[in-house]
Amino acid sequence: MVFKKSQSIKFLQPTMESFETIVGPATEVHGRIVANESLRIDGRVVGNIESRQGKNVSIALGRTGMVQGDINAYRVLVAGRVEGNIYATERVELHEGAEVRGDITYGQLGIEHGAKLNGLMISKSSEEPEGATDSTAIFQANWNKIKSQ
């Protein structure tokens, strides 16, 4: 099957990002980071990274970037390593060379060839499911039902 250039599917459409804060490759940060503006990490962060509520903040990890902790933002772009969960309201992009050890909750997901993921991919739909969604609560409800019989 041959596609014309206009019919081909664009895999990861580039996004225009500007970063107010950059953690350089020679920098190591220990502790929680709360970002009000987009953040690029080329160094190492040991701790959680999150954006302020209601802010459309992007967090980007360069090829030399590493995060040991959870990332919670509007958009997360990964070319380095993450040892923790990623929660993105809008989009997660795993670029070539990215390595994630943790679950990814996303609105949209793009994965380039050569990226590695060891965890769950959880699509975040616009509608919240009805009833208990926590596995512990579901187990407890089923257990109570079994015990009462």
Side-chain angles (χ1 to χ4, degrees):
M1 181 178 262
V2 177
F3 290 101
K4 292 181 181 177
K5 200 172 199 178
S6 63
Q7 293 176 331
S8 65
I9 298 171
K10 292 182 180 176
F11 183 61
L12 286 178
Q13 295 178 356
T15 56
M16 298 301 292
E17 305 292 335
S18 64
F19 300 99
E20 300 297 320
T21 305
I22 297 174
V23 176
T27 304
E28 188 171 310
V29 177
H30 290 260
R32 177 175 163 239
I33 296 176
V34 180
N36 286 317
E37 299 289 335
S38 294
L39 169 68
R40 179 180 168 109
I41 300 166
D42 290 315
R44 184 174 178 202
V45 174
V46 179
N48 294 339
I49 301 170
E50 60 189 70
S51 61
R52 288 262 185 233
Q53 191 75 6
K55 298 276 188 171
N56 292 344
V57 173
S58 296
I59 306 295
L61 268 73
R63 293 194 187 280
T64 59
M66 180 178 178
V67 173
Q68 289 178 297
D70 295 343
I71 301 174
N72 191 334
Y74 179 72
R75 183 179 294 139
V76 180
L77 317 169
V78 181
R81 284 184 63 195
V82 177
E83 293 179 5
N85 299 321
I86 297 174
Y87 306 94
T89 308
E90 195 251 350
R91 178 180 181 137
V92 174
E93 295 179 9
L94 301 181
H95 294 275
E96 181 181 359
E99 186 176 341
V100 177
R101 294 174 185 242
D103 299 341
I104 298 176
T105 303
Y106 61 92
Q108 296 177 347
L109 179 66
I111 304 175
E112 286 184 347
H113 180 73
K116 297 176 184 175
L117 170 62
N118 187 359
L120 298 174
M121 296 184 295
I122 305 163
S123 177
K124 185 177 181 181
S125 65
S126 59
E127 295 180 15
E128 292 295 321
E130 294 181 21
T133 57
D134 179 26
S135 61
T136 306
I138 292 170
F139 175 79
Q140 189 64 42
N142 288 336
W143 179 253
N144 290 338
K145 191 181 211 181
I146 292 169
K147 284 177 35 177
S148 66
Q149 293 178 353

